[in-house]
Amino acid sequence: MTDLFLVYKNLTRKKMRLFLTCFAIFIAFLIFGAVSALKGALDSGVEMSADNRLVVINKINFTQPLPFSYVNKVKALDGVKNVTHANWFGGYYQEPSKQLMTMAVEGATYFKVYDELTIEPENYTNWMKNQTGLLIGERIAEQYGWKVGDKIPISSNIFSHKDGGHTWQFTIQGIFKPLDQKTDTSYVILHYKYFKETQTFGGTSVGWLILTTQSPSLNEQVAKAIDANFVNSAAETKTSTEKAFNKAFIEQIGNIGLIIYGVVFMAFFTILIVVGNTMVLAVRERTKEIAVFKTLGFSSMRIFKMILTESFLLSFIGGLLGMVGAYLVVGGVSKGLAGILPNLLIGPNTWAQAIGYMLLLGFVTGIIPAINALRLNIVSAFSRA
Amino acid sequence: MSEKNIFKLTNLVKRFTKGKETLSIFEDLNLSIKEGDFVAIMGPSGSGKTTLLNMLGGVDQPTSGEVEFDGKGIEKLSENQLAKWRASNVGFIFQFYNLMPMLNAHRNVELPLLLTQLKSKERSQRVETALELVGLKDRAKHMPGELSGGQQQRVAIARAVVSDPKLLLCDEPTGDLDRQTADEILEMLQLLNREFGKTIIMVTHDPSAAKFANRVLHLDKGKFVEKELSL
Ligand SMILES: Nc1ncnc2c1ncn2[C@@H]1O[C@H](COP(=O)(O)OP(=O)(O)O)[C@@H](O)[C@H]1O
Ligand SMILES: [Mg+2]
């Protein structure tokens, strides 16, 4: 028998109470783990954006197009390195519910602007030669099991063919891969030219422009110059860094960060009360036993440590189970959500934070009963009982 | 019984203060107890028996005066020093047994040995010996709730003697037991006193329990009235 065994016996003496308390902690950490993973996934787009990349959209909002002529006008401005453009295709595979993020781009400049993506030179050349060629991101290749040479029909929920249909046939010519695994590659790209020639409306417009500046220090200056250039025109622009753009895009869903912290705070506040209360009660019920321990000669410090160990143990049992639960849940849904939310995972930071919260919870809920036990006077404990 | 004093109380004063009120329990109490003696302390409820036992056991401290144990004053030891002193010198037996409800008999008896350097195997052997002594070897795996009052008190006695202290302090050890069971417990204490040389100080208000002791002290209004037993 050891002190740890005594702690274990004390912890498990009321099974139902142990279960309920652990369950409360479990739920709180489950929420924390899942919600942190969600936030991490949302933030990863912001985090991975290049420092010197700007996005130019129509000032009205990003679903409004820009004239094609803007591409060359922007290219001519000082401080601009490369410019490319993209159109939203509204793609899906087989059924409208199977969204496939598809963009029509200019092949010649696309990879100059997105230089964190790599592709086999031979595949790239083939794609450039083939009007109906398609390039797919590595994540898409993994998700659908597609290979170079596969013929894939992609439908659009926005555009239709000149001959009526909504579905285009493409041949996969290559797979682009990121230098950093966190970079999102869960989308496919097709030739803008082919898109323009075959679809029925839209004229000669592009969805948005993406450009790189000579240096991040020029970002602000270039952004101002672009917007100034098109002021009072039919299509005024709004230029921002890719980081800011991605952030603004996420914030359209609401201030996720605040909601997340709100939820996590509530969950932790609740268990703090529940677990703290349970610990105080559990130790108060044992007042006389603690007095007996002291009478036998156990030092007050030793009892103090045992009670603190008990609260840490409680916090870690519930907390680790909750995190494992979150890990399983996140792992389970991340495959299905790979298209919308890549990078949905519980990262080392979240684990470290969770351990930190477990330590904090164990300490905060254990310290008061532990101090009560430390100070407990044998004589008054017996006369009270 | 030796001629050596195990306890010597000199000019002992004990008062409780509650707010402005001061309750005086003992004023100038003097007492010597011989090593190896079996002393019963009797007296009406509220006469200070438990308070005295607490001071002898080092769980309470006198307001003034000296408590000498084996020639050394214990009244000035710190809380931690007293805890160590209790662990190696005193076995406690309570009216309501005070066993740990979540531990079986074996583990309850083992508790005091966690305060020694003994290895797990030696501890187990000692526990078995102690349980055998109180006749509960076959109940080692029983939880306190599965034992009768008398059996629980016997487990408590095993716990009190397992680390082989020279002193046993018992506060109304038979107060919760029927006559026959009480006598068994008292015979066991007598055995521990006679065969194992334990000094026993027992608080009781039961005259037939006091008959098992060698010496009976009557505590009344903070003073001792000594009556030798006519056996
Ligand atoms: N911690 C304490 N604080 C205040 N008064 C106490 C305390 N402990 C005991 N007393 C008082 O001291 C007196 C003696 O108590 P006690 O030693 O328990 O008597 P006995 O054991 O002889 O019945 C009682 O009047 C009791 O109320
Ligand atoms: Mg009493």
Side-chain angles (χ1 to χ4, degrees):
Chain A
M1 187 166 64
T2 60
D3 284 10
L4 198 62
F5 180 82
L6 292 174
V7 169
Y8 163 78
K9 277 292 174 188
N10 276 329
L11 191 62
T12 54
R13 69 163 81 189
K14 289 199 169 156
K15 302 279 189 306
M16 196 60 190
R17 179 160 73 187
L18 174 67
F19 171 77
L20 290 174
T21 318
C22 272
F23 188 70
I25 304 173
F26 167 83
I27 293 292
F29 278 88
L30 185 73
I31 292 172
F32 170 75
V35 144
S36 298
L38 178 65
K39 182 163 163 43
L42 290 172
D43 285 349
S44 70
V46 177
E47 195 188 315
M48 294 312 292
S49 7
D51 288 337
N52 68 335
R53 206 147 53 209
L54 304 184
V55 180
V56 185
I57 59 167
N58 191 301
K59 199 175 175 181
I60 299 165
N61 69 44
F62 76 96
T63 64
Q64 298 297 311
L66 295 170
F68 183 78
S69 61
Y70 280 23
V71 178
N72 280 325
K73 286 179 184 165
V74 166
K75 206 179 286 176
L77 294 172
D78 275 349
V80 175
K81 198 166 150 197
N82 289 300
V83 182
T84 191
H85 57 86
N87 282 69
W88 186 251
F89 185 73
Y92 63 88
Y93 176 63
Q94 292 175 335
E95 299 160 37
S97 63
K98 287 192 188 165
Q99 295 267 342
L100 183 65
M101 203 206 264
T102 309
M103 284 174 295
V105 306
E106 184 184 60
T109 50
Y110 190 78
F111 289 99
K112 284 185 184 154
V113 171
Y114 288 97
D115 59 0
E116 72 270 39
L117 300 176
T118 62
I119 182 164
E120 295 287 334
E122 189 194 327
N123 291 343
Y124 177 75
T125 316
N126 288 342
W127 179 59
M128 290 302 286
K129 281 192 277 196
N130 185 346
Q131 275 295 292
T132 62
L134 186 74
L135 291 185
I136 63 172
E138 191 175 27
R139 287 236 178 93
I140 295 289
E142 283 163 6
Q143 192 184 346
Y144 288 91
W146 291 343
K147 313 178 294 297
V148 173
D150 286 356
K151 294 201 179 338
I152 305 295
I154 299 180
S155 311
S156 170
N157 53 28
I158 307 172
F159 305 105
S160 54
H161 270 295
K162 291 199 166 116
D163 54 17
H166 288 277
T167 306
W168 280 257
Q169 288 293 333
F170 295 96
T171 308
I172 296 175
Q173 296 292 355
I175 298 169
F176 54 88
K177 298 177 180 176
L179 292 175
D180 182 323
Q181 280 308 315
K182 280 175 94 178
T183 302
D184 181 21
T185 56
S186 51
Y187 60 96
V188 305
I189 54 179
L190 51 94
H191 290 294
Y192 172 75
K193 234 174 148 187
Y194 179 58
F195 163 71
K196 275 295 146 193
E197 281 165 10
T198 53
Q199 56 104 347
T200 49
F201 62 93
T204 57
S205 59
V206 297
W208 63 93
L209 307 183
I210 312 102
L211 61 110
T212 47
T213 58
Q214 301 286 0
S215 135
S217 63
L218 297 173
N219 287 357
E220 209 169 322
Q221 182 191 325
V222 170
K224 276 188 183 146
I226 293 170
D227 292 345
N229 200 41
F230 301 115
V231 80
N232 294 326
S233 73
E236 294 195 340
T237 59
K238 182 166 174 282
T239 305
S240 52
T241 60
E242 184 176 55
K243 219 172 215 125
F245 180 78
N246 285 342
K247 219 169 157 189
F249 186 79
I250 291 166
E251 277 166 5
Q252 287 201 317
I253 320 171
N255 194 335
I256 300 279
L258 201 68
I259 295 170
I260 284 171
Y261 286 123
V263 169
V264 169
F265 178 80
M266 297 270 280
F268 275 90
F269 187 73
T270 309
I271 51 165
L272 214 60
I273 304 267
V274 170
V275 181
N277 203 40
T278 307
M279 277 302 293
V280 168
L281 279 179
V283 174
R284 188 181 300 158
E285 283 168 10
R286 304 203 297 253
T287 298
K288 209 168 151 198
E289 287 169 31
I290 291 167
V292 173
F293 269 109
K294 288 196 178 189
T295 305
L296 294 180
F298 281 77
S299 76
S300 293
M301 193 39 89
R302 191 160 170 178
I303 295 164
F304 174 86
K305 281 183 194 156
M306 283 200 265
I307 290 173
L308 219 47
T309 307
E310 184 177 338
S311 70
F312 277 119
L313 212 57
L314 184 63
S315 164
F316 271 84
I317 293 171
L320 288 175
L321 285 175
M323 286 303 288
V324 167
Y327 176 81
L328 295 176
V329 168
V330 167
V333 301
S334 72
K335 271 232 161 66
L337 292 177
I340 326 161
L341 274 179
N343 296 322
L344 189 65
L345 51 90
I346 297 180
N349 265 344
T350 303
W351 277 103
Q353 269 179 35
I355 302 285
Y357 283 130
M358 286 174 219
L359 286 170
L360 191 70
L361 180 69
F363 181 78
V364 172
T365 55
I367 190 70
I368 291 171
I371 286 178
N372 286 346
L374 182 79
R375 288 200 192 142
L376 186 78
N377 176 277
I378 300 174
V379 178
S380 45
F382 278 127
S383 58
R384 223 187 296 162
Chain B
M1 190 167 62
S2 80
E3 285 308 301
K4 202 174 134 220
N5 281 333
I6 189 167
F7 271 120
K8 188 164 182 282
L9 310 187
T10 321
N11 303 332
L12 200 75
V13 175
K14 181 66 181 175
R15 301 182 192 117
F16 289 112
T17 32
K18 246 194 202 129
K20 280 184 183 164
E21 304 239 324
T22 300
L23 178 68
S24 174
I25 311 295
F26 302 117
E27 295 291 338
D28 213 18
L29 192 76
N30 292 285
L31 172 71
S32 296
I33 292 173
K34 296 259 179 295
E35 187 167 316
D37 208 350
F38 184 170
V39 181
I41 299 174
M42 297 189 72
S45 183
S47 58
K49 305 183 295 294
T50 296
T51 305
L52 177 63
L53 211 60
N54 284 341
M55 288 189 288
L56 294 175
V59 296
D60 199 359
Q61 282 169 317
T63 309
S64 69
E66 276 171 40
V67 181
E68 250 176 47
F69 175 85
D70 266 353
K72 270 188 231 121
I74 60 162
E75 77 282 348
K76 289 201 176 64
L77 295 180
S78 72
E79 195 200 307
N80 271 335
Q81 287 170 321
L82 279 173
K84 284 206 185 89
W85 174 80
R86 287 196 299 273
S88 46
N89 292 295
V90 194
F92 288 89
I93 297 161
F94 309 88
Q95 178 176 0
F96 298 106
Y97 333 125
N98 284 340
L99 299 177
M100 300 297 159
M102 73 291 187
L103 300 178
N104 66 27
H106 182 100
R107 295 204 162 104
N108 264 291
V109 176
E110 193 186 345
L111 280 179
L113 298 181
L114 294 185
L115 300 161
T116 65
Q117 303 295 320
L118 295 177
K119 296 254 161 17
S120 161
K121 215 176 156 188
E122 292 171 279
R123 293 203 303 256
S124 271
Q125 277 167 359
R126 288 250 205 147
V127 171
E128 276 164 34
T129 309
L131 280 173
E132 201 169 0
L133 182 73
V134 298
L136 285 178
K137 206 183 167 194
D138 54 338
R139 300 295 160 96
K141 291 279 177 289
H142 285 59
M143 302 305 278
E146 298 163 354
L147 298 172
S148 71
Q151 288 170 329
Q152 288 188 59
Q153 194 61 301
R154 285 196 269 162
V155 173
I157 291 171
R159 178 178 67 185
V161 298
V162 73
S163 56
D164 201 24
K166 58 164 93 171
L167 175 67
L168 296 182
L169 297 178
C170 321
D171 195 348
E172 312 262 11
T174 58
D176 200 42
L177 301 174
D178 60 65
R179 184 74 266 147
Q180 196 193 329
T181 315
D183 286 351
E184 283 168 21
I185 294 296
L186 290 160
E187 277 160 19
M188 195 167 286
L189 292 177
Q190 209 165 44
L191 176 91
L192 287 167
N193 171 248
R194 288 185 183 162
E195 304 299 322
F196 295 87
K198 305 287 175 205
T199 307
I200 299 179
I201 304 171
M202 174 179 76
V203 162
T204 182
H205 59 248
D206 175 9
S208 46
K211 283 191 189 129
F212 285 81
N214 304 331
R215 182 184 176 197
V216 180
L217 298 166
H218 288 265
L219 198 55
D220 202 6
K221 299 188 180 79
K223 298 274 177 221
F224 283 122
V225 196
E226 192 152 349
K227 299 178 186 165
E228 287 302 327
L229 269 179
S230 46
L231 288 167

